Amino acid sequence: MRTIVKGSLAAGAGVVLLLGGAGTLAVWTDAEDLPGTGSTSGYLDLTDPVCDPWELDGGAAFTTQLIVPGDELSHRCTFTLDAAGEHLSATFETSDPVVTETNALVDDLVVSTAYTVAGVPVDPEAGGVAVQDGDVVTAVVTVSFPLGSDNASNVPTAGLQATLEDITVTATQDHAG
């Protein structure tokens, strides 16, 4: 019987040792520092604006001529792009001009702008176009008095006026992947 008791005690001690080790888990960990880095932002700036005088129908200088439906006034301005950074692209837009008068002529005028960058036309539907420092950006603003405009602007007793205030050209940085 002594052998049975000794065997039972040995088996019980083994079970206790096994159960005590069941809650133990060995895990190794290690940590290493990665080197940091500094960063400096680039920039995008339209500089040195040079604008031609306003033209009537792409030719004669516009001064005091009276416009009629079908006429277009255009204004060509060039800028130099001062830019720094990698993967630069930009979109371009023109603010809606503020017109000081409120009348039928103002309601009929349509303003649009076409852009080129380094001589290449910009497709406004295509998103940003790649740009780099020193690129010449050209904006041609056109104010159209379309044919077929509402006859409300046809006032024979007093010519209607529309005075355009300054128009803002904006280059907005985009990311070229």
Side-chain angles (χ1 to χ4, degrees), residues 33-115:
D33 292 333
L34 298 176
T37 186
S39 62
T40 304
S41 67
Y43 54 88
L44 178 69
D45 189 21
L46 291 173
T47 63
D48 305 322
V50 176
C51 296
D52 297 340
W54 282 91
E55 293 181 350
L56 177 61
D57 290 331
F62 177 72
T63 54
T64 59
Q65 300 94 318
L66 301 178
I67 63 172
V68 298
D71 281 348
E72 287 187 346
L73 301 175
S74 59
H75 194 51
R76 180 180 181 272
C77 296
T78 59
F79 306 85
T80 301
L81 195 63
D82 182 15
E86 299 296 319
H87 313 291
L88 275 178
S89 68
T91 58
F92 298 91
E93 65 183 351
T94 306
S95 67
D96 290 332
V98 174
V99 181
T100 55
E101 296 80 13
T102 302
N103 59 50
L105 175 60
V106 172
D107 295 340
D108 286 342
L109 297 179
V110 177
V111 179
S112 61
T113 307
Y115 296 95

Side-chain angles (χ1 to χ4, degrees), residues 148-165:
S149 294
D150 185 357
N151 202 36
S153 61
N154 185 15
V155 181
T157 58
L160 298 177
Q161 293 185 355
T163 304
L164 300 176
E165 299 294 331

